[in-house]
Amino acid sequence: LSFTVARDIVSGIVVSRFWKSVAASDTVWRDRCEALWADKAHVPHRFRDVDAMGRLQAYWGSVEDAKRIAISVEELCSFEWSIRMKGWAGPDWTANDAWWQGQKSCIRRYCPDGTTCSAERGAGRWRLVPSSSGRTGALGCFVRQSREGREYPTHFASRWPKNWGWILQNCWGFSASFPLPPRGEEPELEDEGAICQSVTVESCREEAMRFNMGLPLPFERRRRR
């Protein structure tokens, strides 16, 4: 069965008891799990834990989980996020952005206490919001960041199907839970790619406009002076 397609192996489970015992065995699926996950940026620990579930369940469970776009707090805080500005932020921002200048992208970390830290961008805060720009989703689909008491347009969570890594982006910024390839090496992750085009200044017009006018964003909690 070493060269048999995964879905064909599953279909053999219904043939007979013998084929069920063979086709559903951890021996068959262990190598397939390792091969599937070898180039993936994120596979939840529960699928890798051989004591938590059988390898057949782990294989297909991880495939289904890769479609999930609501990030958990634990996941959000477990990564070093590679960050860059989008071209729509304007030349003043891209001129000072490491990624745009051909250097390694800046790093941001999210902390469980609701703070963020970045050697290049400074400290800030984060929280989850329930919706943004007419889109709704489960808790973890929308992340709001702030610095010096000012909230920025909402970041939308998604996944990159190629490596299952997480993406967080708003109309002006883009970040990934894995190292961003140098500029020009991965068109899918650049401004003209479908991922970036799904969150633009146009699609986030209300929040972008309110931010530029100094008005509070939806769900924004401003400190009393």
Side-chain angles (χ1 to χ4, degrees):
L1 296 177
S2 59
F3 297 104
T4 308
V5 177
R7 291 190 181 279
D8 291 340
I9 297 175
V10 172
S11 66
I13 292 176
V14 300
V15 174
S16 68
R17 290 183 179 180
F18 170 75
W19 277 110
K20 180 179 181 180
S21 66
V22 173
S25 69
D26 283 355
T27 302
V28 169
W29 289 96
R30 185 179 298 110
D31 289 345
R32 280 176 170 74
C33 285
E34 294 306 316
L36 175 66
W37 301 337
D39 61 349
K40 300 302 186 287
H42 179 58
V43 178
H45 174 71
R46 66 182 183 276
F47 298 120
R48 295 187 181 275
D49 184 356
V50 296
D51 296 323
M53 65 183 73
R55 297 299 81 194
L56 170 62
Q57 182 182 358
Y59 183 101
W60 293 108
S62 70
V63 170
E64 188 63 26
D65 183 80
K67 304 172 186 177
R68 173 173 56 92
I69 60 171
I71 191 168
S72 71
V73 171
E74 181 181 6
E75 289 170 323
L76 180 68
C77 298
S78 68
F79 301 114
E80 284 192 344
W81 293 82
S82 297
I83 59 177
R84 71 169 180 86
M85 301 305 297
K86 291 182 176 180
W88 305 312
D92 290 343
W93 284 96
T94 56
N96 295 309
D97 185 275
W99 182 87
W100 281 90
Q101 302 309 312
Q103 303 169 23
K104 185 178 180 180
S105 58
C106 299
I107 297 296
R108 174 183 291 125
R109 289 198 68 94
Y110 294 82
C111 303
D113 63 358
T115 60
T116 64
C117 57
S118 170
E120 300 84 1
R121 302 291 175 84
R125 298 195 64 82
W126 70 270
R127 66 189 183 93
L128 303 179
V129 294
S131 62
S132 177
S133 304
R135 305 186 198 183
T136 59
L139 189 66
C141 289
F142 310 100
V143 181
R144 184 76 59 79
Q145 299 177 19
S146 64
R147 286 205 301 270
E148 299 178 350
R150 185 70 172 99
E151 293 197 344
Y152 288 79
T154 305
H155 282 69
F156 295 76
S158 63
R159 306 290 284 276
W160 189 27
K162 184 175 181 177
N163 73 355
W164 297 0
W166 287 96
I167 301 293
L168 284 178
Q169 60 172 326
N170 69 1
C171 49
W172 296 315
F174 185 93
S175 59
S177 65
F178 50 91
L180 283 175
R183 185 182 177 191
E185 286 194 7
E186 186 49 77
E188 288 185 24
L189 298 177
E190 302 200 9
D191 288 358
E192 297 306 315
I195 295 176
C196 281
Q197 290 293 321
S198 69
V199 181
T200 65
V201 175
E202 181 63 28
S203 67
C204 303
R205 176 179 293 275
E206 179 187 3
E207 289 194 8
M209 179 185 68
R210 294 184 70 86
F211 179 87
N212 286 333
M213 295 177 66
L215 298 174
L217 305 184
F219 312 113
E220 183 165 352
R221 300 179 298 202
R222 290 196 167 185
R223 297 176 181 175
R224 294 181 179 179
R225 297 184 177 181

